[in-house]
Amino acid sequence: MDRRQFLKFSGFITVSVASTGLVGCGGSSSPAAANLPAATGAGWTFPQSVASGDPRPDSIMLWTRALPAGADSVAAAPSGNDVSIRLVVTATDNSSLLGSNAALAGALVVDTQLPLQAQFDNTVRHKVTGLTAGTTYFYQFVAGDVRSNVGRFKTAPAADADVSQLQFAYMTCQDWSINHWGAMSNMATENLDFIVHLGDYIYETVGEAFQVGAVETRHDQLVLPDGAYKSGTSGAKYATTLADYRYLYKKYRTDTRLQALHERFAFIAIWDDHEFSDDCWQDAETYEGTFNADGSDLHQPARRRNANQAWFEYMPADVSLDTASTSFQNIKIYRDFQFGKLMQLVMTDERLYRADHVIPEAAINPATGVAVGSIGARYLVPEDVFNSVEAQKMAGGTQIGADPLSIVGMLGTTQRQWWMDKMKSSTSTWKLWGNEVSLLRMGLNGVDAIATLVALGAVQQLATAIGTTAAAVGGNLPVAAAIVAASTAGASAATAQAAAMAIAGAGSSSAAQG
């Protein structure tokens, strides 16, 4: 972190060193907190509870958000209430207090005052260092007379420790609007060391076609503070401002089942596309119908920076952000973790540095004169066409002296070299790659797809569902395969038919791009 970053976040990112002995009440205070009055009284709440992240042998990142009582839990934090709040940490077993806000028992290894500021939406990120490897700790934030729920985390074992096993869970794609989160309650009862979150912690869209359907009654309708319409002046919206992205994290974290997971286990998280924009690459959105007039994707650096900042503020990840930078690449989230001699976990970012799709969604389809969209670029791509275009792009990159993989890859040159170095140098028994995009090419064979539909008696149902595309089947298996894939992916009847006709001549063997 350079000096400019330090000055910017000196009131937000705070650090303390754990003590091996008993810490007295109010034992320390961060410089930023020292200039703020301490929170007093009973008028405080912790609407998003607490969280921990990035466990290392000697450190952890702790998080919370506190508000004055009566404030809207998902609105912007009211100004004029900047105060300091207290953090306490102990190695004494407080397992019986998990899920409650009872006072922690035992000798404290951390007792410090931290700043709570409206400019960061009243979120707190505090890194504790000097911890003991392979140890379970309990923590709690206190605002005035009000205590947060008790949180728990386990530090990673020492790098040279002989570890027989690790137990952790993977999470991804937790859409508030359609997913059912009951499994989180089961996960909270497991004996886990940590949780890996592979992205799509939030979904930036509200009211999309795929987000309509049965959903838990406890998940009410999302309402973005600002938002932009994907098409015209009605229908689905997407997050665009910092307030929008902050709102989504706050709303998701009001679910007590997700809170319970964060209270019990440290998260190691990266993002995928929906933390910014569906199917994004770098700062470009790829919503169909929102391409530039010249057929290129819309680049939205300000929107990308808003998404970066909200993720940074609300995810307990030990990374840095430079909001003074005008670059959309003002944050670096790829990082690695060592768990004794047993495991090296390498977490990558396959959105911020990636090239566009080999066949861009904004590319003009010569058969229709419009952009090919996700059908024909991402969900369904004829294999020989994909391979040909990829080879041409890589050859072109070589000719101009560029890294050919940077033209078609997901990691970017710098991150890819970092990943290779980590994997080559690791001596761990297990080398795990935490990445947000499938490494396997998904294939669709038109003959098999239609045979399956016939066997299930689903042809008529599918044809009715996609309306005018029924006539396009007509015994043409590649066209039928395209229609099946397009409809399954949620495409409209017109999109499904146009895509199917455009790619019919390329054969029924296809590949999907991430």
Side-chain angles (χ1 to χ4, degrees):
M1 179 179 295
D2 63 24
R3 182 174 182 272
R4 180 177 59 183
Q5 290 173 305
F6 176 78
L7 291 175
K8 169 64 179 175
F9 289 106
S10 61
F12 183 44
I13 301 175
T14 52
V15 181
S16 62
V17 180
S19 169
T20 56
L22 177 66
V23 176
C25 179
S28 67
S29 178
S30 74
N35 297 321
L36 295 172
T40 59
W44 297 94
T45 62
F46 293 89
Q48 282 77 32
S49 194
V50 301
S52 63
D54 283 16
R56 301 190 185 278
D58 64 344
S59 69
I60 195 73
M61 182 68 75
L62 301 179
W63 179 97
T64 196
R65 181 171 185 260
L67 289 175
D72 187 329
S73 64
V74 296
S79 60
N81 296 280
D82 289 0
V83 294
S84 67
I85 64 173
R86 185 182 174 203
L87 167 68
V88 291
V89 181
T90 181
T92 301
D93 187 357
N94 280 259
S95 298
S96 62
L97 301 185
L98 288 172
S100 79
N101 63 351
L104 280 180
L108 300 179
V109 297
V110 173
D111 186 353
T112 187
Q113 292 290 125
L114 306 175
L116 185 74
Q117 298 173 289
Q119 64 175 317
F120 305 118
D121 208 20
N122 277 30
T123 58
V124 172
R125 285 165 50 92
H126 183 74
K127 183 176 181 179
V128 178
T129 64
L131 299 171
T132 302
T135 302
T136 299
Y137 290 90
F138 295 80
Y139 66 99
Q140 188 172 54
F141 294 89
V142 184
D145 300 327
V146 179
R147 294 182 296 267
S148 73
N149 279 2
V150 172
R152 177 187 66 187
F153 66 85
K154 183 184 293 186
T155 53
D160 59 353
D162 291 314
V163 180
S164 61
Q165 67 174 10
L166 288 169
Q167 297 186 102
F168 57 96
Y170 282 102
M171 294 179 64
T172 186
C173 302
Q174 57 188 41
D175 192 335
W176 172 279
S177 301
I178 55 174
N179 284 356
H180 297 261
W181 291 11
M184 293 184 184
S185 297
N186 293 331
M187 290 175 62
T189 66
E190 296 291 334
N191 181 25
L192 303 176
D193 292 293
F194 55 92
I195 289 177
V196 172
H197 203 295
L198 294 175
D200 289 348
Y201 189 98
I202 61 167
Y203 275 66
E204 89 288 6
T205 53
V206 174
E208 279 273 49
F210 72 86
Q211 293 173 313
V212 176
V215 69
E216 298 171 313
T217 55
R218 64 198 296 173
H219 281 191
D220 57 350
Q221 181 65 43
L222 298 174
V223 181
L224 295 171
D226 301 307
Y229 287 109
K230 287 188 66 178
S231 178
T233 58
S234 63
K237 279 188 170 184
Y238 62 86
T240 182
T241 63
L242 178 58
D244 286 337
Y245 287 107
R246 282 173 167 174
Y247 162 81
L248 291 171
Y249 287 101
K250 286 180 283 194
K251 189 69 172 179
Y252 277 51
R253 291 269 190 94
T254 60
D255 190 296
T256 55
R257 295 162 300 182
L258 181 57
Q259 288 181 7
L261 289 182
H262 279 294
E263 290 165 4
R264 286 160 174 79
F265 309 112
F267 273 51
I268 298 174
I270 52 175
W271 58 38
D272 195 14
D273 52 345
H274 288 288
E275 280 89 347
F276 167 47
S277 186
D278 181 32
D279 200 31
C280 61
W281 60 279
Q282 298 181 31
D283 65 340
E285 73 164 40
T286 60
Y287 299 136
E288 292 184 32
T290 60
F291 305 119
N292 289 316
D294 63 358
S296 61
D297 288 328
L298 288 175
H299 287 265
Q300 300 177 307
R303 182 184 171 211
R304 174 83 248 194
R305 288 194 299 271
N306 289 335
N308 293 351
Q309 181 170 338
W311 187 92
F312 174 77
E313 290 175 342
Y314 280 87
M315 200 60 61
D318 188 10
V319 301
S320 60
L321 170 81
D322 182 4
T323 57
S325 171
T326 58
S327 169
F328 65 88
Q329 294 177 338
N330 62 347
I331 187 172
K332 181 177 78 69
I333 70 168
Y334 62 86
R335 57 208 192 279
D336 72 303
F337 299 85
Q338 184 73 38
F339 294 90
K341 298 177 183 178
L342 183 62
M343 188 180 82
Q344 178 99 357
L345 175 62
V346 181
M347 306 289 285
T348 56
D349 175 359
E350 296 173 8
R351 291 296 172 183
L352 200 61
Y353 313 99
R354 66 174 292 166
D356 195 0
H357 291 89
V358 170
I359 301 175
E361 295 186 30
I364 299 300
N365 185 335
T368 62
V370 298
V372 295
S374 57
I375 307 301
R378 175 163 48 113
Y379 290 127
L380 192 70
V381 181
E383 190 171 30
D384 56 346
V385 174
F386 178 92
N387 291 339
S388 174
V389 174
E390 182 180 56
Q392 291 177 40
K393 285 191 168 186
M394 293 181 69
T398 300
Q399 289 178 357
I400 63 174
D403 173 7
L405 286 177
S406 70
I407 309 299
V408 297
M410 293 186 179
L411 298 178
T413 302
T414 301
Q415 182 183 194
R416 187 176 73 253
Q417 187 60 54
W418 170 86
W419 176 85
M420 292 172 62
D421 292 342
K422 288 293 181 182
M423 289 298 185
K424 288 178 181 179
S425 63
S426 176
T427 59
S428 299
T429 303
W430 291 92
K431 306 173 188 63
L432 271 64
W433 182 7
N435 66 298
E436 59 269 48
V437 178
S438 173
L439 297 177
L440 301 177
R441 180 171 294 180
M442 297 176 287
L444 172 67
N445 182 287
V447 176
D448 293 341
I450 298 302
T452 300
L453 289 171
V454 171
L456 295 174
V459 171
Q460 184 58 47
Q461 179 182 354
L462 178 65
T464 300
I466 60 179
T468 59
T469 61
V473 177
N476 187 319
L477 294 180
V479 173
I483 292 174
V484 170
S487 302
T488 303
S492 66
T495 299
Q497 184 173 4
M501 298 304 295
I503 68 175
S508 60
S509 179
S510 61
Q513 302 183 76

